[in-house]
Amino acid sequence: MLKVLVLFLLLIAGIVVGPMIAGHQGYVLIQTDNWNVETSVTGLAIILIVALLVILALEWLLRRLFRTGAKTRGWFVGRKRRRAHRQTQSALMKLAEGDHKQVEKLLSRNADHAEQPVVNYLLAAEAAQQRGDEARANQHLERAAELTENDPIPLEITRARIQLARNEDHAARHTIDRLLEVTPRHPEVLRLAEQAYVRTGAWAALLDILPAMEKSQVSDENHRAALQLQGWLGLMNQAMAEQGSDGLKRWWQNLSRKTRQEPALQVAMADHLIECNDPDTAQQIVLDGLKRQYDERLVLLMPRLKSGNPEQLEKALRQQIKQHGATPLLHSTLGQLLMQHGEWQQASEAFREALKQRPDAYDYAWLADALDRLHHPEEAAKMRRDGLLLTLKNNK
């Protein structure tokens, strides 16, 4: 605009001043070694104005050409972006249909021009992994890594998910450990950590993430409780495998009192001690557990306790019968303990009390054995026959 104004002023000046200097135009000489240029002052002014007009015209032409090129480039780029957008939308529909081959193809094509290229490549990597093409999945992950700048979390989550799908459990655990350092309460990271830790037997790490899972509301309370029990049982198995009964008892003592009072853990601990041929410690855990609360699983362990102090078990059972009533389980268990000590009459009475409340093939068999010891073969044969009929009935 300024250039046009200057040109307009020069034209006005020429119109006004030209007649005034008519006849007084002066003389201009431009001399070089080979040639001379002679003109008047008015002629030189006209030449300069024309030259200025030519320069302005060239500038306008070049500007239009460059602007047209930019528009053309913008049109092509916009066309690719629109195509990438359409392909992404189509890929999402194919994802809902489960067509992973088309999902990968549509997401990876023109992915560099998509609104979020990293997302396209990550989804394409998962789609490729779903159909078993690990090479393509790796290519998409590498491209996503090249484009990732400020937020590597989605990339690493996808990497961990793919590693778990390939059963590369230890590699996935390494990836997840790094993620937990950056984002310890990310719900998806915690879900993946649960899978990786369970698969690799990282029970201490599994127990460590349970508070974060609760705060982030990952899974329900029952599932978290099951995971906690699984973690404790895993550590229990490790202690027994590495150091036997002594290591198992040391591990148990290092637990908090609240944890040792969990009935499921008491049952598992007693069972492990029985397996390690340490019935005395197992019996103590069973009796301590029953003092705090009644649990049928602890009662079921009693016949397996071959300790040197059976009177304590019988006393505890009779106490449980007083507190919780004459249940079939308590009477049956008492009968089994009495049989182990040769008290056949009392054992037979206990089995009869159990059978009064519910028929059971095992109780019939144990009662028959006790009756044989008491020299009642006919009644013993009848008990075995009743037990056999009950077994056949249950197997139909």
Side-chain angles (χ1 to χ4, degrees):
M1 187 67 185
L2 180 61
K3 294 177 181 179
V4 174
L5 179 61
V6 171
L7 181 60
F8 180 74
L9 292 176
L10 289 175
L11 290 174
I12 295 297
I15 295 173
V16 175
V17 178
M20 295 176 59
I21 62 174
H24 305 281
Q25 295 184 14
Y27 176 77
V28 176
L29 173 65
I30 300 175
Q31 185 176 25
T32 66
D33 292 339
N34 299 323
W35 46 273
N36 296 332
V37 177
E38 297 181 4
T39 183
S40 63
V41 175
T42 303
L44 180 61
I46 294 172
I47 292 172
L48 292 175
I49 292 173
V50 171
L52 179 60
L53 289 173
V54 171
I55 292 172
L56 291 175
L58 288 174
E59 181 191 17
W60 175 84
L61 180 62
L62 291 174
R63 189 166 59 247
R64 288 297 300 271
L65 289 174
F66 285 121
R67 186 180 300 170
T68 301
K71 288 182 178 179
T72 303
R73 288 194 300 273
W75 182 84
F76 279 110
V77 171
R79 181 170 177 269
K80 291 181 179 180
R81 287 178 179 174
R82 289 190 296 272
R83 181 183 297 174
H85 179 74
R86 289 195 303 270
Q87 290 171 341
T88 301
Q89 296 298 319
S90 299
L92 295 178
M93 295 298 295
K94 292 296 182 180
L95 181 62
E97 297 174 6
D99 189 349
H100 296 105
K101 182 177 181 179
Q102 285 298 317
V103 170
E104 183 210 348
K105 180 179 179 181
L106 291 168
L107 285 173
S108 58
R109 185 183 296 174
N110 294 313
D112 289 338
H113 301 284
E115 294 179 6
Q116 294 181 314
V118 174
V119 175
N120 277 49
Y121 281 115
L122 293 179
L123 291 176
E126 291 205 56
Q129 181 59 42
Q130 284 288 339
R131 61 187 186 85
D133 193 341
E134 296 186 2
R136 293 283 294 174
N138 291 337
Q139 290 178 5
H140 297 318
L141 278 179
E142 291 174 2
R143 182 56 182 154
E146 293 174 359
L147 297 175
T148 299
E149 296 179 356
N150 300 324
D151 187 11
I153 293 176
L155 171 65
E156 295 304 315
I157 288 177
T158 303
R159 191 190 307 279
R161 194 181 292 119
I162 289 176
Q163 288 169 337
L164 287 172
R166 297 175 181 174
N167 293 320
E168 298 174 357
D169 300 329
H170 290 281
R173 180 184 170 185
H174 180 66
T175 302
I176 290 166
D177 286 341
R178 294 200 312 266
L179 277 169
L180 286 173
E181 294 177 359
V182 179
T183 174
R185 293 186 183 178
H186 193 292
E188 182 62 16
V189 174
L190 291 171
R191 278 187 283 268
L192 294 173
E194 174 194 334
Q195 296 182 49
Y197 293 158
V198 169
R199 291 188 188 183
T200 58
W203 307 117
L206 178 64
L207 292 172
D208 288 340
I209 66 172
L210 288 178
M213 291 179 68
E214 181 178 2
K215 292 178 181 178
S216 301
Q217 297 183 347
V218 176
S219 72
D220 57 25
E221 185 177 354
N222 291 334
H223 182 70
R224 292 194 298 270
L227 284 178
Q228 185 178 49
L229 178 59
Q230 187 177 7
W232 287 124
L233 293 179
L235 291 175
M236 186 184 298
N237 289 329
Q238 287 179 355
M240 184 179 73
E242 293 172 1
Q243 299 175 339
S245 176
D246 292 337
L248 194 58
K249 288 187 286 187
R250 281 194 298 270
W251 174 82
W252 181 256
Q253 291 302 319
N254 288 332
L255 296 177
S256 66
R257 179 180 299 178
K258 181 179 179 181
T259 302
R260 290 199 304 269
Q261 291 173 355
E262 288 291 331
L265 279 184
Q266 291 174 339
V267 172
M269 184 63 182
D271 183 69
H272 281 63
L273 288 169
I274 293 172
E275 187 177 346
C276 290
N277 196 25
D278 190 353
D280 293 330
T281 307
Q283 177 171 311
Q284 190 60 47
I285 290 175
V286 169
L287 294 176
D288 290 344
L290 288 174
K291 286 179 183 178
R292 296 191 58 84
Q293 64 180 26
Y294 175 74
D295 193 295
E296 290 187 351
R297 294 170 296 179
L298 291 173
V299 176
L300 288 170
L301 289 174
M302 285 186 170
R304 297 173 56 196
L305 295 171
K306 311 297 183 182
S307 67
N309 192 2
E311 292 80 8
Q312 284 188 344
L313 293 176
E314 295 174 15
K315 181 180 178 181
L317 276 174
R318 297 185 189 280
Q319 184 67 30
Q320 293 295 323
I321 291 173
K322 290 181 180 180
Q323 292 179 354
H324 303 285
T327 66
L329 175 62
L330 290 174
H331 274 298
S332 176
T333 305
L334 179 59
Q336 293 174 60
L337 293 178
L338 292 169
M339 282 183 66
Q340 292 176 9
H341 311 133
E343 300 179 16
W344 309 111
Q345 183 61 42
Q346 295 183 48
S348 66
E349 294 173 358
F351 288 127
R352 291 182 192 276
E353 288 296 326
L355 288 169
K356 284 180 182 179
Q357 300 181 51
R358 57 101 176 89
D360 182 83
Y362 289 105
D363 285 345
Y364 278 121
W366 287 320
L367 177 56
D369 290 341
L371 291 171
D372 280 335
R373 295 285 185 168
L374 294 171
H375 307 291
H376 299 300
E378 293 181 0
E379 189 178 4
K382 182 179 182 301
M383 292 299 104
R384 288 192 175 92
R385 184 167 57 253
D386 291 344
L388 178 60
L389 291 174
L390 180 62
T391 302
L392 294 175
K393 181 180 177 181
N394 293 333
N395 289 337
K396 287 184 179 179

